[in-house]
mmCIF file of all heavy atoms in Angstrom:
data_model
loop_
_atom_site.group_PDB
_atom_site.id
_atom_site.type_symbol
_atom_site.label_atom_id
_atom_site.label_comp_id
_atom_site.label_asym_id
_atom_site.label_seq_id
_atom_site.Cartn_x
_atom_site.Cartn_y
_atom_site.Cartn_z
ATOM 1 N N VAL A 64 -2.499 4.203 5.396
ATOM 2 C CA VAL A 64 -1.688 3.386 6.290
ATOM 3 C C VAL A 64 -0.354 4.104 6.461
ATOM 4 O O VAL A 64 0.286 4.477 5.478
ATOM 5 C CB VAL A 64 -1.438 1.969 5.723
ATOM 6 C CG1 VAL A 64 -0.477 1.196 6.605
ATOM 7 C CG2 VAL A 64 -2.746 1.214 5.569
ATOM 8 N N ILE A 65 0.022 4.325 7.700
ATOM 9 C CA ILE A 65 1.378 4.804 7.997
ATOM 10 C C ILE A 65 2.185 3.553 8.321
ATOM 11 O O ILE A 65 1.737 2.707 9.089
ATOM 12 C CB ILE A 65 1.387 5.783 9.186
ATOM 13 C CG1 ILE A 65 0.609 7.060 8.824
ATOM 14 C CG2 ILE A 65 2.824 6.129 9.589
ATOM 15 C CD1 ILE A 65 0.450 8.033 9.976
ATOM 16 N N TYR A 66 3.369 3.431 7.733
ATOM 17 C CA TYR A 66 4.139 2.206 7.917
ATOM 18 C C TYR A 66 5.636 2.462 7.806
ATOM 19 O O TYR A 66 6.073 3.505 7.324
ATOM 20 C CB TYR A 66 3.710 1.149 6.897
ATOM 21 C CG TYR A 66 4.125 1.474 5.476
ATOM 22 C CD1 TYR A 66 5.265 0.911 4.918
ATOM 23 C CD2 TYR A 66 3.377 2.349 4.685
ATOM 24 C CE1 TYR A 66 5.653 1.202 3.620
ATOM 25 C CE2 TYR A 66 3.751 2.643 3.387
ATOM 26 C CZ TYR A 66 4.889 2.061 2.862
ATOM 27 O OH TYR A 66 5.264 2.358 1.583
ATOM 28 N N THR A 67 6.392 1.504 8.287
ATOM 29 C CA THR A 67 7.830 1.476 8.038
ATOM 30 C C THR A 67 8.168 0.135 7.410
ATOM 31 O O THR A 67 7.504 -0.866 7.669
ATOM 32 C CB THR A 67 8.669 1.640 9.323
ATOM 33 O OG1 THR A 67 8.335 0.602 10.225
ATOM 34 C CG2 THR A 67 8.456 3.002 9.961
ATOM 35 N N SER A 68 9.205 0.147 6.596
ATOM 36 C CA SER A 68 9.717 -1.089 6.015
ATOM 37 C C SER A 68 10.744 -1.679 6.959
ATOM 38 O O SER A 68 11.342 -0.961 7.760
ATOM 39 C CB SER A 68 10.393 -0.800 4.675
ATOM 40 O OG SER A 68 9.473 -0.275 3.768
ATOM 41 N N ASP A 69 10.957 -2.976 6.847
ATOM 42 C CA ASP A 69 11.996 -3.608 7.654
ATOM 43 C C ASP A 69 13.380 -3.139 7.223
ATOM 44 O O ASP A 69 14.333 -3.241 7.972
ATOM 45 C CB ASP A 69 11.907 -5.128 7.555
ATOM 46 C CG ASP A 69 10.793 -5.679 8.422
ATOM 47 O OD1 ASP A 69 10.293 -4.943 9.289
ATOM 48 O OD2 ASP A 69 10.421 -6.845 8.221
ATOM 49 N N TYR A 70 13.491 -2.603 6.003
ATOM 50 C CA TYR A 70 14.785 -2.179 5.492
ATOM 51 C C TYR A 70 15.012 -0.674 5.620
ATOM 52 O O TYR A 70 15.995 -0.154 5.132
ATOM 53 C CB TYR A 70 14.967 -2.625 4.037
ATOM 54 C CG TYR A 70 13.824 -2.252 3.131
ATOM 55 C CD1 TYR A 70 13.755 -1.005 2.546
ATOM 56 C CD2 TYR A 70 12.800 -3.155 2.871
ATOM 57 C CE1 TYR A 70 12.702 -0.647 1.732
ATOM 58 C CE2 TYR A 70 11.742 -2.809 2.045
ATOM 59 C CZ TYR A 70 11.701 -1.554 1.476
ATOM 60 O OH TYR A 70 10.646 -1.211 0.669
ATOM 61 N N SER A 71 14.083 0.056 6.273
ATOM 62 C CA SER A 71 14.248 1.495 6.450
ATOM 63 C C SER A 71 13.480 1.953 7.680
ATOM 64 O O SER A 71 12.381 1.476 7.946
ATOM 65 C CB SER A 71 13.704 2.239 5.217
ATOM 66 O OG SER A 71 13.689 3.633 5.441
ATOM 67 N N ASP A 72 14.048 2.884 8.423
ATOM 68 C CA ASP A 72 13.382 3.430 9.607
ATOM 69 C C ASP A 72 12.482 4.618 9.264
ATOM 70 O O ASP A 72 11.785 5.126 10.132
ATOM 71 C CB ASP A 72 14.415 3.884 10.644
ATOM 72 C CG ASP A 72 15.155 2.708 11.263
ATOM 73 O OD1 ASP A 72 14.575 1.603 11.299
ATOM 74 O OD2 ASP A 72 16.300 2.889 11.710
ATOM 75 N N ASP A 73 12.517 5.080 8.025
ATOM 76 C CA ASP A 73 11.735 6.251 7.631
ATOM 77 C C ASP A 73 10.274 5.875 7.426
ATOM 78 O O ASP A 73 9.952 5.039 6.580
ATOM 79 C CB ASP A 73 12.300 6.852 6.333
ATOM 80 C CG ASP A 73 13.705 7.385 6.528
ATOM 81 O OD1 ASP A 73 13.916 8.124 7.499
ATOM 82 O OD2 ASP A 73 14.573 7.058 5.701
ATOM 83 N N ALA A 74 9.400 6.487 8.212
ATOM 84 C CA ALA A 74 7.970 6.201 8.105
ATOM 85 C C ALA A 74 7.433 6.719 6.777
ATOM 86 O O ALA A 74 7.800 7.796 6.313
ATOM 87 C CB ALA A 74 7.223 6.837 9.270
ATOM 88 N N LYS A 75 6.533 5.926 6.162
ATOM 89 C CA LYS A 75 5.900 6.303 4.901
ATOM 90 C C LYS A 75 4.389 6.343 5.090
ATOM 91 O O LYS A 75 3.850 5.780 6.034
ATOM 92 C CB LYS A 75 6.258 5.313 3.795
ATOM 93 C CG LYS A 75 7.710 5.428 3.356
ATOM 94 C CD LYS A 75 7.987 4.580 2.150
ATOM 95 C CE LYS A 75 7.630 5.332 0.897
ATOM 96 N NZ LYS A 75 7.958 4.626 -0.333
ATOM 97 N N TYR A 76 3.753 6.994 4.162
ATOM 98 C CA TYR A 76 2.313 7.180 4.171
ATOM 99 C C TYR A 76 1.788 6.659 2.846
ATOM 100 O O TYR A 76 2.214 7.121 1.784
ATOM 101 C CB TYR A 76 2.043 8.677 4.311
ATOM 102 C CG TYR A 76 0.665 9.066 4.742
ATOM 103 C CD1 TYR A 76 0.274 8.977 6.074
ATOM 104 C CD2 TYR A 76 -0.242 9.580 3.827
ATOM 105 C CE1 TYR A 76 -0.982 9.380 6.478
ATOM 106 C CE2 TYR A 76 -1.504 9.990 4.225
ATOM 107 C CZ TYR A 76 -1.858 9.882 5.555
ATOM 108 O OH TYR A 76 -3.107 10.279 5.954
ATOM 109 N N PHE A 77 0.895 5.688 2.883
ATOM 110 C CA PHE A 77 0.266 5.168 1.663
ATOM 111 C C PHE A 77 -1.217 5.470 1.803
ATOM 112 O O PHE A 77 -1.889 4.955 2.688
ATOM 113 C CB PHE A 77 0.516 3.668 1.524
ATOM 114 C CG PHE A 77 0.129 3.123 0.184
ATOM 115 C CD1 PHE A 77 0.970 3.268 -0.903
ATOM 116 C CD2 PHE A 77 -1.074 2.452 0.009
ATOM 117 C CE1 PHE A 77 0.619 2.764 -2.151
ATOM 118 C CE2 PHE A 77 -1.439 1.952 -1.234
ATOM 119 C CZ PHE A 77 -0.586 2.099 -2.313
ATOM 120 N N GLU A 78 -1.709 6.362 0.950
ATOM 121 C CA GLU A 78 -3.070 6.859 1.070
ATOM 122 C C GLU A 78 -3.867 6.526 -0.188
ATOM 123 O O GLU A 78 -3.323 6.501 -1.290
ATOM 124 C CB GLU A 78 -3.030 8.383 1.240
ATOM 125 C CG GLU A 78 -4.389 9.042 1.294
ATOM 126 C CD GLU A 78 -4.287 10.553 1.407
ATOM 127 O OE1 GLU A 78 -3.397 11.148 0.746
ATOM 128 O OE2 GLU A 78 -5.087 11.129 2.148
ATOM 129 N N SER A 79 -5.139 6.273 -0.007
ATOM 130 C CA SER A 79 -6.035 6.115 -1.141
ATOM 131 C C SER A 79 -7.118 7.174 -1.011
ATOM 132 O O SER A 79 -7.611 7.422 0.093
ATOM 133 C CB SER A 79 -6.666 4.724 -1.145
ATOM 134 O OG SER A 79 -7.515 4.596 -2.268
ATOM 135 N N GLU A 80 -7.429 7.816 -2.135
ATOM 136 C CA GLU A 80 -8.473 8.836 -2.095
ATOM 137 C C GLU A 80 -9.365 8.722 -3.319
ATOM 138 O O GLU A 80 -8.940 8.286 -4.383
ATOM 139 C CB GLU A 80 -7.864 10.235 -2.002
ATOM 140 C CG GLU A 80 -7.004 10.625 -3.174
ATOM 141 C CD GLU A 80 -6.380 11.999 -3.023
ATOM 142 O OE1 GLU A 80 -6.964 12.857 -2.365
ATOM 143 O OE2 GLU A 80 -5.296 12.192 -3.583
ATOM 144 N N ILE A 81 -10.614 9.100 -3.122
ATOM 145 C CA ILE A 81 -11.576 9.125 -4.212
ATOM 146 C C ILE A 81 -11.580 10.548 -4.754
ATOM 147 O O ILE A 81 -11.742 11.512 -4.006
ATOM 148 C CB ILE A 81 -12.977 8.739 -3.704
ATOM 149 C CG1 ILE A 81 -12.950 7.333 -3.100
ATOM 150 C CG2 ILE A 81 -13.993 8.836 -4.844
ATOM 151 C CD1 ILE A 81 -14.163 6.987 -2.274
ATOM 152 N N SER A 82 -11.353 10.650 -6.061
ATOM 153 C CA SER A 82 -11.288 11.969 -6.679
ATOM 154 C C SER A 82 -11.822 11.846 -8.100
ATOM 155 O O SER A 82 -12.357 10.802 -8.481
ATOM 156 C CB SER A 82 -9.850 12.484 -6.665
ATOM 157 O OG SER A 82 -9.787 13.820 -7.083
ATOM 158 N N HIS A 83 -11.667 12.888 -8.877
ATOM 159 C CA HIS A 83 -12.113 12.884 -10.269
ATOM 160 C C HIS A 83 -10.926 13.155 -11.190
ATOM 161 O O HIS A 83 -10.097 14.011 -10.898
ATOM 162 C CB HIS A 83 -13.213 13.933 -10.487
ATOM 163 C CG HIS A 83 -14.480 13.552 -9.810
ATOM 164 N ND1 HIS A 83 -14.740 13.854 -8.497
ATOM 165 C CD2 HIS A 83 -15.548 12.855 -10.258
ATOM 166 C CE1 HIS A 83 -15.924 13.368 -8.166
ATOM 167 N NE2 HIS A 83 -16.438 12.763 -9.215
ATOM 168 N N SER A 84 -10.885 12.415 -12.284
ATOM 169 C CA SER A 84 -9.831 12.614 -13.283
ATOM 170 C C SER A 84 -10.101 13.904 -14.039
ATOM 171 O O SER A 84 -11.166 14.514 -13.900
ATOM 172 C CB SER A 84 -9.816 11.428 -14.257
ATOM 173 O OG SER A 84 -11.004 11.432 -15.032
ATOM 174 N N LYS A 85 -9.147 14.315 -14.868
ATOM 175 C CA LYS A 85 -9.327 15.520 -15.683
ATOM 176 C C LYS A 85 -10.532 15.383 -16.613
ATOM 177 O O LYS A 85 -11.167 16.376 -16.959
ATOM 178 C CB LYS A 85 -8.067 15.809 -16.499
ATOM 179 C CG LYS A 85 -6.921 16.319 -15.656
ATOM 180 C CD LYS A 85 -5.694 16.616 -16.494
ATOM 181 C CE LYS A 85 -4.565 17.121 -15.616
ATOM 182 N NZ LYS A 85 -3.346 17.373 -16.366
ATOM 183 N N SER A 86 -10.855 14.142 -16.995
ATOM 184 C CA SER A 86 -12.003 13.927 -17.880
ATOM 185 C C SER A 86 -13.314 13.819 -17.099
ATOM 186 O O SER A 86 -14.373 13.661 -17.699
ATOM 187 C CB SER A 86 -11.786 12.666 -18.729
ATOM 188 O OG SER A 86 -11.773 11.520 -17.901
#
Side-chain angles (χ1 to χ4, degrees):
V64 174
I65 295 175
Y66 70 98
T67 59
S68 298
D69 282 345
Y70 51 84
S71 172
D72 291 333
D73 296 311
K75 289 188 85 176
Y76 197 78
F77 191 80
E78 176 182 39
S79 181
E80 62 182 331
I81 300 166
S82 188
H83 290 86
S84 67
K85 288 181 180 178
S86 66

